[in-house]
Amino acid sequence: MPSLPALLALLFICWAPLQAAASSWWSLAMSPVQRPEMFIIGAQPVCSQLPGLSAGQRKLCQLYQEHMAYIGEGARTGIRECQHQFRQRRWNCSTVDDASVFGRVLQIGSRETAFTYAVSAAGVVNAISRACREGELSTCGCSRAARPKDLPRDWLWGGCGDNVDYGYRFAKEFVDAREREKNFAKGSEEQGRVLMNLQNNEAGRRAVYKTADVACKCHGVSGSCSLKTCWLQLAEFRKVGDQLKEKYDSAAAMRITRRGKLELVNSRFKPPTPEDLVYVDPSPDYCLRDESTGSLGTRGRLCNKTSEGLDGCALMCCGRGYDQFKSVRTERCHCRFHWCCFVRCKKCTQVVDQFVCK
C-alpha cells in the first residue's frame, strides 16, 4: 500500500493540471493590473505573476505590457454585460472567487459558455480601441478608417475616432492565443470545443466592429452647423450585448466531424456565419445546485410572481414554489430644482412584497 506522502504527491500531480486548465485570462478582471508607469524601469514585467495567462498570452504580455490593464478592463466590461443580459434567467452569469472566474459551468460547451466567450472578446476590442483613441497605448492612436462613401462631401472626415481596427487585431491575437496553442487529436471532442471557442471569440469581436458607426460634431457661428467634422465611434457596449444576446437565442448546435470540422447537428438549418454563436453541448437546466457542472441553482433567487417569462416564479423556481416576504424600500422622491443650482429631494419609504424561490 503506498505511503501517505506518495498519495499526497499523486493527488497534487492530478489536481495541479485541473487547476491550471480551469484558470483563464478573465481573472485579470478580478484584480486591477498595474499601469506600466508603476513598473520599475528595467525590471521584469509582472506577466509571470498574472494568473490565468497561457504561454502565448504571457509572451504577448511581455511585448505589450501597457495593454494588460485594458485587457482586464475589457474583461470586466464583458462580465458586467453578461450579468446584465442574464439577470432574469436561471443562469445569471455568476462569478466565483478563483482564477476560473465563472467556475465549472464553462467546462460545458453550452449556449451560455458561447455567450461568455463572445462578450469577453468583445470587451477587449472595446477597451483597447478606446485606449488607442485616448492616447494610452504607444503602439496605436486615433482611427485611420477610410472615409465612408456616403458621407456628404462638405463634411470633414478625420476627427479622433476609436481605433476599432487595432482593437480587433490585438484582441484576436491575444484572446485566441490560448485556443490556438492547444493541440488535440483531429475529430476529438476537445478539438470541437477549441473550434467552438474560436468561433464565438470571432463573433464577439465582429459585434463590436459591426456596431461602430460615424459620429459627427457641428461647427459654426452660434451652432449654425455650417460645417461638420466626423469620425468613427464605438457603439455603447449595451448595444453590443443586446446583439450578442440575440445571437445567443439563435445559436447553432454543432458537432465535430472526423475531418476536424464543425458541422450542424441539424442540416436543415442555415450554416452559421462568422457573426453567429455556436455550441456543442446541451445546457443544464440550472435549477439545482450541482458542483459537477458548476450550476448554482435558483434556490433563494428573487422572482416575479406576475410574470410568465423566464423571470417568473413558475419558471425561475423550477416548480418548487416560492416564499413571500415583505421588505422596506427607500427611494428619493418629491425632487425639486432650486435656483441656482441644486436639486433637493425627500426620502420616501414603502413596504413591498418580494418572492424568493424555495
Side-chain angles (χ1 to χ4, degrees):
M1 182 175 179
S3 63
L4 179 60
L7 285 173
L8 290 174
L10 180 61
L11 178 62
F12 176 79
I13 291 171
C14 296
W15 174 78
L18 291 174
Q19 284 292 101
S23 62
S24 167
W25 64 271
W26 295 320
S27 60
L28 298 177
M30 310 311 281
S31 56
V33 181
Q34 286 184 323
R35 303 283 180 179
E37 59 267 19
M38 299 293 290
F39 302 138
I40 300 173
I41 297 176
Q44 192 69 15
V46 296
C47 301
S48 58
Q49 302 171 16
L50 294 177
L53 300 186
S54 68
Q57 289 173 334
R58 211 169 292 283
K59 289 179 181 178
L60 288 169
C61 173
Q62 292 169 359
L63 291 171
Y64 300 96
Q65 191 179 127
E66 60 186 353
H67 289 53
M68 302 310 292
Y70 299 99
I71 293 172
E73 182 181 313
R76 284 191 295 277
T77 299
I79 291 169
R80 285 195 299 267
E81 186 59 28
C82 182
Q83 291 172 344
H84 170 80
Q85 295 291 342
F86 289 85
R87 67 195 183 282
Q88 296 178 336
R89 290 183 173 240
R90 292 175 183 171
W91 180 78
N92 60 355
C93 203
S94 299
T95 57
V96 296
D97 295 327
D98 62 31
S100 69
V101 180
F102 294 104
R104 290 188 175 184
V105 70
L106 296 195
Q107 292 179 5
I108 302 170
S110 64
R111 287 174 182 262
E112 292 74 33
T113 297
F115 182 89
T116 304
Y117 273 77
V119 80
S120 301
V124 175
V125 178
N126 189 78
I128 295 294
S129 301
R130 291 196 187 281
C132 289
R133 183 201 66 195
E134 294 167 2
E136 298 291 343
L137 304 176
S138 60
T139 52
C140 62
C142 298
S143 171
R144 295 183 179 179
R147 178 189 178 95
K149 294 180 180 179
D150 57 349
L151 198 70
R153 290 184 179 181
D154 55 343
W155 292 6
L156 298 179
W157 177 254
C160 188
D162 295 309
N163 198 337
V164 67
D165 287 309
Y166 182 91
Y168 172 89
R169 292 196 306 271
F170 181 82
K172 183 178 180 67
E173 188 173 4
F174 179 85
V175 177
D176 285 3
R178 185 180 197 88
E179 306 301 328
R180 296 196 182 282
E181 62 195 51
K182 296 174 182 176
N183 187 20
F184 295 116
K186 183 181 291 188
S188 65
E189 291 183 6
E190 293 83 1
Q191 191 210 13
R193 179 60 192 273
V194 167
L195 294 177
M196 168 190 155
N197 293 345
L198 289 172
Q199 164 82 18
N200 295 321
N201 288 345
E202 179 66 10
R205 291 189 291 266
R206 291 197 180 209
V208 179
Y209 200 96
K210 292 286 186 179
T211 54
D213 204 358
V214 173
C216 297
K217 181 179 180 180
C218 285
H219 305 279
V221 179
S222 300
S224 62
C225 207
S226 57
L227 182 66
K228 277 189 177 182
T229 301
C230 303
W231 60 90
L232 186 67
Q233 182 169 296
L234 292 175
E236 290 295 322
F237 201 74
R238 180 55 39 78
K239 185 176 180 180
V240 175
D242 290 342
Q243 180 171 309
L244 289 176
K245 181 60 167 50
E246 291 180 7
K247 297 294 184 181
Y248 162 89
D249 290 330
S250 60
M254 309 294 285
R255 62 189 169 203
I256 189 72
T257 67
R258 292 182 179 179
R259 296 182 179 181
K261 303 289 184 182
L262 287 181
E263 69 173 10
L264 284 165
V265 171
N266 191 334
S267 59
R268 292 180 297 173
F269 296 123
K270 287 184 178 180
T273 71
E275 298 173 19
D276 293 322
L277 300 188
V278 300
Y279 64 97
V280 294
D281 296 321
S283 299
D285 61 18
Y286 302 109
C287 283
L288 300 175
R289 188 176 187 88
D290 186 343
E291 296 294 338
S292 65
T293 64
S295 171
L296 300 178
T298 62
R299 191 179 304 276
R301 287 278 302 277
L302 289 172
C303 61
N304 186 342
K305 181 183 178 182
T306 60
S307 173
E308 296 181 359
L310 294 171
D311 63 328
C313 293
L315 291 177
M316 180 68 75
C317 303
C318 307
R320 297 188 305 268
Y322 53 88
D323 293 319
Q324 179 179 352
F325 68 96
K326 296 185 181 295
S327 64
V328 178
R329 180 179 297 168
T330 302
E331 297 176 335
R332 297 175 68 193
C333 61
H334 306 303
C335 296
R336 296 183 65 180
F337 176 77
H338 293 265
W339 184 267
C340 174
C341 298
F342 64 94
V343 177
R344 179 172 290 163
C345 300
K346 294 182 179 180
K347 287 186 177 180
C348 297
T349 59
Q350 61 178 145
V351 177
V352 296
D353 290 321
Q354 291 192 308
F355 306 91
V356 174
C357 293
K358 290 183 177 180

